[in-house]
Amino acid sequence: MKKELLLFILLIPVICLFVWNCFLWYDKDSGTEITVRITGYDPRDLLSGHYIRYRIDWDKTDLTQFENKTVTKDDFVGSLNKTSYRFYVSETHAKYLDKLLMESWDVKEEDKKKIEVVYSYKKGKHPIAKKLLVNGQPYQKII
């Protein structure tokens, strides 16, 4: 009896993490996809891990994607409520992508790579960054 009770108690955290993970995947996959153009952001944050830090460039973002949808730009921006954002990437890709974002400051406009982040957004919830695109392709294909 004690072994079954101990096993049950040990499984509770695993079950809770699994259920929480399922809710997160559902939120990510069932939201409206919003693609925003990004630019690099400095200064560096040494404690942030393997994240690409960026700012959203609203001047170059296609705002027609908000038309004929239940999502408005104001709802989306209001749910972000940050000035800089992060996208997690693997350690092997972080340095290259960070360099790519920083190069966008020094290159002529026609030579710049088009770097975008695809968010999954549900009204009333915080947007979830799903993909990082470089010239319309997932960044893994570019590297």
Side-chain angles (χ1 to χ4, degrees):
M1 177 66 180
K2 282 189 172 187
K3 287 184 179 181
E4 290 85 14
L5 182 62
L6 180 62
L7 181 63
F8 178 72
I9 290 172
L10 290 174
L11 283 177
I12 289 176
V14 173
I15 293 169
C16 290
L17 283 173
F18 177 76
V19 170
W20 180 48
N21 194 23
C22 289
F23 279 116
L24 288 175
W25 277 105
Y26 175 76
D27 280 348
K28 185 182 103 178
D29 291 340
S30 64
T32 302
E33 282 196 355
I34 305 292
T35 304
V36 294
R37 188 92 178 259
I38 63 171
T39 61
Y41 175 74
D42 221 3
R44 301 187 189 283
D45 183 0
L46 297 176
L47 301 176
S48 67
H50 305 294
Y51 289 90
I52 299 301
R53 293 182 55 130
Y54 59 89
R55 286 198 173 161
I56 296 176
D57 188 353
W58 289 110
D59 295 332
K60 295 181 182 172
T61 298
D62 178 21
L63 298 179
T64 60
Q65 63 187 323
F66 291 103
E67 295 174 4
N68 301 323
K69 290 188 181 176
T70 58
V71 177
T72 66
K73 179 187 171 202
D74 294 334
D75 293 336
F76 182 73
V77 172
S79 64
L80 287 171
N81 74 20
K82 293 181 182 180
T83 56
S84 68
Y85 309 95
R86 300 184 310 176
F87 185 85
Y88 180 81
V89 295
S90 70
E91 181 179 1
T92 56
H93 299 152
K95 188 174 181 179
Y96 173 78
L97 289 170
D98 193 37
K99 182 181 173 190
L100 190 67
L101 278 170
M102 293 307 143
E103 283 177 353
S104 67
W105 293 345
D106 301 330
V107 179
K108 289 185 259 180
E109 190 64 36
E110 61 270 5
D111 295 334
K112 288 184 181 180
K113 294 199 179 346
K114 182 178 168 187
I115 304 172
E116 300 170 312
V117 173
V118 178
Y119 282 95
S120 174
Y121 176 65
K122 284 180 151 182
K123 193 168 184 157
K125 294 196 175 195
H126 186 72
I128 300 169
K130 290 175 63 171
K131 297 182 254 183
L132 179 70
L133 304 175
V134 178
N135 290 337
Q137 296 182 349
Y139 78 91
Q140 295 93 336
K141 289 185 179 180
I142 303 299
I143 295 176

